[in-house]
Each structure stands twice: as C-alpha cells, then as structure tokens.
Amino acid sequence: MEQIITWIIITLIFLVIIIGILFRRIYKELKSLKSRLGALEEIVDVPREEIGIDLKIIERKILTSKDSELTEYAQKLYSGKNVKSISNNYNKLAMLDKNIIEYGLIRASALEDSYDLSKFFPPLVAFIIALLTSYAVFFKNVISSPFLHNSLPIILSIGIFAYLSLHVGDTRGKRLSIIYFKGLLLYAKEHGKKS
C-alpha cells in the first residue's frame, strides 16, 4: 500500500515539474513573439490602436456595470496608456457630470480596497502554514514511510504557492488599473472645479 502511495506521489512530483517546464517554455515563446511583433510594428510603422474614453460608455460603466466589468474597463484604459491617450482621457473625463465622477470615485475606492492584498494575505498565509503543519503531523502518524510523510506537505506547499502566485499577480494588476482609473477621476474632479 505504501509503495502505491509512494509511486503516486513521485508521479505527481514529476507531473508538477513537467508542467512547470512547459509553462516556462510557453512563456518564453510568447515573450519572443511579442518582441518580434513589436519590432515588425516599428519597421512597418503600424499605428497602435488607442483606447479612448467614450462619455456614454464611461457613464454606463460607472453607474450600472458590475465590479468585474468596471475593473475590466479600467484595465483596458490602463493597458492602452500612452502620452496622447492619457491627455485625451483627462480632457474627456473632465466633461463628466460631477455626481458621476463622485460615484466613480466611491466605486474605485471600494474596488481598490477589495483588491488590496494586505488585508487578507497575511492571515491566509498563517492559516496555510498552520494547516500544513497539522497535516505534516497527521501524515507522520498515519504513514510510516518518512519519504511519504515528508513529501506530501511539500507537494501541497508547492501547489498552494503556485496558486497564490498566480492569484497575487492577477489581483495586483487589477488594483493598479483601478488606482489609475481613480487617478483619472480625481484629476477630472479637480480640473472640473477650476474650469
């Protein structure tokens, strides 16, 4: 029985390693393709598509969209930023109604707080460490093979670390785009007062 469990764990370890190697290779290939595409755009001088703000769309996004839709829209604005689009966005947002800007600031602040990892990440890490420690003791008592009761918590740790790494990167990107969107709204609010 222990040999079967040992072989299953060894197989899982190898699968995790192989999947990690494949993801790394795919990431390098995508990075290479992006750099080649950028070089081709410079050679051919293809104008990049600008993501601008349509006042009707932004009003609808601020007033009626779900949080995920507003976040996605903010990510589009954030990813499409360059000097020309930033100045365009500032000027267009200043034309919005003050109430819509205020409501947008409230939603952006709430979204920024919801994507703030410092609020839930430290307790989550403490809980995971406690969980893995208790599982290590449990497996030590149940499984007599030292290899098995030492390797299972390590495999769980690697899996949890990989999941949290992906989640943290995604959440951080969303938070940055919301902060950018909030900055645009703050500028629009201030600029609207002066004019």
Side-chain angles (χ1 to χ4, degrees):
M1 180 67 174
E2 286 185 23
Q3 286 180 342
I4 293 173
I5 294 174
T6 304
W7 284 108
I8 290 172
I9 290 175
I10 290 172
T11 305
L12 288 175
I13 290 171
F14 283 125
L15 285 175
V16 167
I17 291 170
I18 290 170
I19 289 172
I21 291 169
L22 289 175
F23 275 124
R24 186 171 182 196
R25 183 176 291 167
I26 290 170
Y27 173 76
K28 284 183 179 181
E29 287 178 13
L30 283 175
K31 193 173 180 182
S32 171
L33 285 173
K34 283 182 182 179
S35 66
R36 284 191 252 157
L37 181 64
L40 282 174
E41 285 179 348
E42 289 176 11
I43 291 170
V44 180
D45 194 27
V46 175
R48 294 181 185 260
E49 182 180 318
E50 289 186 33
I51 297 176
I53 294 178
D54 182 8
L55 291 179
K56 295 288 183 195
I57 292 174
I58 192 73
E59 283 180 9
R60 190 179 69 238
K61 294 284 184 189
I62 290 173
L63 294 175
T64 62
S65 68
K66 297 177 183 175
D67 288 346
S68 59
E69 292 174 5
L70 185 59
T71 302
E72 193 175 303
Y73 186 74
Q75 284 178 310
K76 285 180 185 175
L77 288 176
Y78 183 70
S79 66
K81 64 181 183 178
N82 59 39
V83 175
K84 187 177 178 183
S85 69
I86 290 173
S87 63
N88 264 351
N89 292 345
Y90 282 153
N91 294 332
K92 285 185 179 179
L93 277 175
M95 291 187 269
L96 280 174
D97 183 48
K98 288 291 176 194
N99 294 332
I100 294 173
I101 292 174
E102 289 290 332
Y103 185 66
L105 284 170
I106 292 169
R107 285 194 68 191
S109 295
L111 285 172
E112 182 183 354
D113 284 345
S114 72
Y115 292 124
D116 188 5
L117 294 174
S118 67
K119 304 234 191 281
F120 76 91
F121 199 65
L124 180 65
V125 170
F127 175 73
I128 289 171
I129 290 172
L131 184 70
L132 289 174
T133 304
S134 66
Y135 269 116
V137 171
F138 171 74
F139 285 121
K140 188 174 185 177
N141 292 333
V142 172
I143 302 172
S144 62
S145 169
F147 173 74
L148 285 179
H149 68 74
N150 288 332
S151 62
L152 211 48
I154 292 172
I155 292 171
L156 289 173
S157 300
I158 291 170
I160 291 170
F161 177 76
Y163 173 76
L164 288 178
S165 297
L166 293 173
H167 181 69
V168 165
D170 184 45
T171 302
R172 188 169 180 264
K174 288 178 181 178
R175 186 167 189 261
L176 287 173
S177 63
I178 291 296
I179 290 172
Y180 173 74
F181 182 66
K182 184 178 174 183
L184 286 174
L185 290 174
L186 283 170
Y187 178 82
K189 181 181 175 185
E190 293 299 317
H191 186 70
K193 282 183 180 178
K194 291 178 183 174
S195 55

